[in-house]
Amino acid sequence: MKSGIHPDYHLITVKMTDGSTYATRSTWGKEGDTLALDIDPLAHPAWTGGNAKLMDTGGRVSKFKNKYAGLGF
């Protein structure tokens, strides 16, 4: 590898939304910095199987369903 072209790779602390922390190596920040996450696998519906509901009263989804009702979607 060429010297001087790669970012500094160092230890940081990642703080999850529930307050737990873990150490990992990253190019983010400086040695010893703490990265506080707003969304993580403990809180995001994509990982937790959240109850995301489609709220559409006569809007785009309803128009789509009505337009293509006979096609078996």
Side-chain angles (χ1 to χ4, degrees):
M1 290 193 294
K2 287 185 178 180
S3 62
I5 63 167
H6 299 285
D8 180 35
Y9 195 58
H10 50 270
L11 281 173
I12 65 165
T13 303
V14 178
K15 183 178 179 184
M16 306 290 267
T17 56
D18 68 348
S20 62
T21 61
Y22 68 93
T24 188
R25 294 180 59 82
S26 176
T27 58
W28 181 85
K30 296 179 182 128
E31 179 82 26
D33 282 353
T34 300
L35 174 63
L37 298 179
D38 294 330
I39 298 174
D40 64 18
L42 300 174
H44 196 278
W47 288 287
T48 61
N51 298 330
K53 294 182 181 179
L54 184 57
M55 302 298 282
D56 185 38
T57 56
R60 296 172 62 176
V61 174
S62 298
K63 288 178 187 176
F64 177 84
K65 286 182 179 180
N66 292 339
K67 184 176 181 179
Y68 297 106
L71 297 177
F73 287 125

